[in-house]
Amino acid sequence: MLPEPDTDLCRDLAADLHSAGFTAEALRDAWGPAADDAIARGLRSPASRALGDRGDALAVLGRLLVLGMPQAAASVDRSLSRAGAAGLVRLGLAEIDGDEVRPLAVVRPQSYADASRPGRDEMTAQWWIASDLDEAALGGPLPEDHVLGVGGASLTLAGLQLPTPAERTLDIGAGCGIQALRARAHVSHVVATDISPRALSFTRLNALLNGIDGIEVRLGSLFEPVAGEEFDRIVSNPPFVITPRVADVPAYEYRDGGMVGDDVVAAFVTGVGEHLAPGGVAQLLGNWETRDGMPGLERVRGWVESSPVPLDAWVVERESLDPLSYAELWVRDGGTLPGTPGFARLVDAWLDDFAARAVTEVGFGYLLLRRPADGSPTLARYETLHTALAGEGLGAHLAAALEAHDRLSALDDAELAASVLLVAADVTEARHHLPGAEDPTVIELRQGGGFGRALGVDPGLAALVGACDGDLAVGVLIDAIADLLEVDAGALRADLLPRVRELTFTGFLRFA
């Protein structure tokens, strides 16, 4: 566990990092894109070689705090004129060994989208995120109480968070605190929980280092620390990794919830409803197993339907892996590599565990759960989008989809036909013709934002989408298209209106 962070010292360290120009972009420029990408794969030597013998503050702090390499104490003191090497020691981030400063943690700059500065400059804001040393710096497997820094999964969830205002958010499994920091940009108060006292220490440190208040930390598992409380938002990157419950298999706190199979995600889904205020939304990442021939998404549907509190659900399976690929992924993640002692034994332990439950596939994806304000669920969407990419704008896309769903749910077909719609600005159309053919064989609509969906459409729907310019009502447009195509207008309405609902929910169309 880290020492309790000192507010003034964190402020001094932040000022030093700012003075050094310690940003993600500056470091990437200093050691180059290829070396920067190599760091994410656990290779630090390309970045170190690129810095050479540079002794400026950016280079010294990059080696010490990002690459995890010891640096001369005098160089560190020059680079941190306010906090100094002694300040890093007091914060538990380093130790002094003779004339060297040895890192005990990493502090990495992380760019994020600042909602207060929309447009081209919205990605220029920075956080500094402290976490435990990685495998490259440690030179071997991670300890079981390792606190993970910002990775692909945490960035995915941060991008998924709804960017709309609320009062209270709960962050379950806070880790280094990245989700709590992200949530605080849109809510007044965040309660961050974790089973790891060390993780909560990093959360407190990172909040102070970035000058963010309103984050309260509590120790405990799942919903235990918030018994009887309700929240407007709940966000979690839970320790969902499926891990064999046998001896000699490391149980990393940051990824292993201590349960069998996908039970930790099931427990979250069935228990979250009572902690959501009416209208409240929970968002999390998770794994789910395909067992005995039952697809994983259907098992997730069963968890939602088992919730004592009725829930809206939108679940997206982003990818799926066979048991062997899954086992290799997470054995490598812990720092045990092929060819090293124990790799084959650990993989076999995973395969035995999956075989015991007749697991043939493991899915990974995003879950959005909502407690309906009136208690009556209207959204039950379970879909596979293996090409989906979560980006900074995906949270806004989810918020717009929920708003569209609620509005659509209140409209019958006649009212929808009387509505005026606009085609979204990011939608494009592609038409494919056989050589010499006048009419297209394929018409495709593509979405530039959101989940990047691509849909094959027929001429009638393509004509309707193309005509949605915010001028005429949908029904009027359909009648005109029916005349043009020489088909029955009533039949065309019956065919197109359900698809208009889908296109409006998924963001191809929006209400004018």
Side-chain angles (χ1 to χ4, degrees):
M1 185 171 175
L2 298 176
E4 186 64 30
D6 178 86
T7 302
D8 292 336
L9 186 53
C10 286
R11 188 180 300 115
D12 287 343
L13 178 56
D16 286 332
L17 296 177
H18 180 75
S19 295
F22 193 66
T23 68
E25 291 76 15
L27 287 169
R28 189 175 178 87
D29 288 343
W31 48 50
D36 199 61
D37 294 340
I39 294 171
R41 303 193 301 272
L43 300 173
R44 61 180 182 172
S45 60
S48 176
R49 289 166 62 90
L51 292 178
D53 59 359
R54 282 178 52 176
D56 57 286
L58 181 66
V60 170
L61 297 177
R63 293 189 197 96
L64 180 72
L65 298 179
V66 177
L67 303 182
M69 301 171 62
Q71 297 293 289
S75 296
V76 175
D77 283 334
R78 285 194 301 270
S79 301
L80 300 174
S81 60
R82 298 170 181 83
L88 294 180
V89 173
R90 286 170 55 196
L91 290 172
L93 300 176
E95 62 183 4
I96 297 178
D97 183 8
D99 294 333
E100 278 193 334
V101 178
R102 296 184 177 275
L104 298 177
V106 295
V107 181
R108 289 183 170 140
Q110 177 64 53
S111 298
Y112 72 97
D114 185 351
S116 67
R117 294 187 289 177
R120 289 186 301 172
D121 295 331
E122 65 181 358
M123 292 295 295
T124 60
Q126 297 277 330
W127 283 319
W128 296 296
I129 305 296
S131 61
D132 274 325
L133 295 172
D134 57 20
E135 301 100 311
L138 292 172
L142 303 173
E144 293 189 13
D145 65 349
H146 177 81
V147 177
L148 196 65
V150 177
S154 55
L155 288 176
T156 293
L157 184 58
L160 287 166
Q161 285 196 41
L162 302 184
T164 47
E167 287 298 315
R168 299 185 76 217
T169 287
L170 170 63
D171 175 13
I172 296 179
C176 67
I178 183 67
Q179 305 307 326
L181 295 180
R182 180 63 176 233
R184 183 63 181 85
H186 306 292
V187 304
S188 302
H189 185 77
V190 178
V191 175
T193 70
D194 205 292
I195 62 170
S196 166
R198 184 169 178 80
L200 295 180
S201 294
F202 273 115
T203 296
R204 287 195 297 270
L205 171 64
N206 287 326
L208 289 174
L209 188 59
N210 292 285
I212 297 175
D213 61 3
I215 297 177
E216 172 190 354
V217 301
R218 300 184 194 176
L219 184 67
S221 177
L222 285 176
F223 303 105
E224 292 172 0
V226 293
E229 297 182 56
E230 292 183 348
F231 297 84
D232 304 297
R233 300 277 167 73
I234 298 177
V235 62
S236 182
N237 182 10
F240 58 75
V241 175
I242 297 164
T243 306
R245 306 259 69 88
V246 297
D248 299 328
V249 173
Y252 296 109
E253 288 181 348
Y254 72 88
R255 72 183 201 188
D256 177 19
M259 298 184 186
V260 174
D262 50 20
D263 285 355
V264 69
V265 181
F268 186 103
V269 172
T270 56
V272 72
E274 64 182 277
H275 296 283
L276 285 172
V281 173
Q283 295 177 272
L284 70 150
L285 307 181
N287 275 164
W288 38 82
E289 298 177 336
T290 291
R291 294 185 190 172
D292 288 322
M294 177 177 284
L297 282 177
E298 285 305 305
R299 296 185 61 248
V300 177
R301 186 191 298 269
W303 302 338
V304 173
E305 293 174 350
S306 297
S307 169
V309 176
L311 296 171
D312 285 324
W314 184 5
V315 182
V316 175
E317 183 174 273
R318 172 68 179 86
E319 63 180 322
S320 61
L321 294 174
D322 61 80
L324 177 58
S325 298
Y326 189 91
E328 290 186 274
L329 170 67
W330 293 110
V331 174
R332 289 171 183 264
D333 177 79
T336 303
L337 302 179
T340 59
F343 182 84
R345 176 184 59 80
L346 289 173
V347 169
D348 283 340
W350 254 273
L351 296 180
D352 289 343
D353 181 59
F354 284 134
R357 292 189 303 280
V359 174
T360 57
E361 190 174 73
V362 181
F364 167 83
Y366 329 134
L367 300 89
L368 186 153
L369 307 169
R370 181 174 64 170
R371 181 176 180 176
D374 63 359
S376 302
T378 57
L379 178 61
R381 189 180 182 95
Y382 301 83
E383 57 183 325
T384 299
L385 290 171
H386 284 186
T387 59
L389 296 175
E392 287 289 347
L394 196 47
H397 174 73
L398 298 181
L402 290 179
E403 182 180 359
H405 168 79
D406 294 340
R407 187 166 178 179
L408 289 165
S409 296
L411 300 178
D412 61 21
D413 281 353
E415 292 167 324
L416 178 59
S419 301
V420 178
L421 300 178
L422 275 169
V423 62
D426 64 334
V427 173
T428 57
E429 180 189 278
R431 294 183 176 231
H432 304 274
H433 298 73
L434 291 173
E438 181 178 352
D439 296 324
T441 55
V442 176
I443 305 175
E444 187 178 61
L445 298 178
R446 285 190 172 273
Q447 183 180 52
F451 282 111
R453 299 174 191 265
L455 302 174
V457 297
D458 54 49
L461 185 57
L464 176 60
V465 171
C468 285
D469 58 4
D471 186 14
L472 299 175
V474 170
V476 174
L477 295 175
I478 292 177
D479 290 346
I481 293 168
D483 286 342
L484 181 66
L485 298 178
E486 298 181 343
V487 298
D488 180 74
L492 190 60
R493 281 197 184 205
D495 174 56
L496 293 184
L497 287 178
R499 293 195 279 167
V500 167
R501 290 181 183 274
E502 173 70 6
L503 289 177
T504 306
F505 175 82
T506 53
F508 285 83
L509 298 172
R510 63 181 180 85
F511 286 97

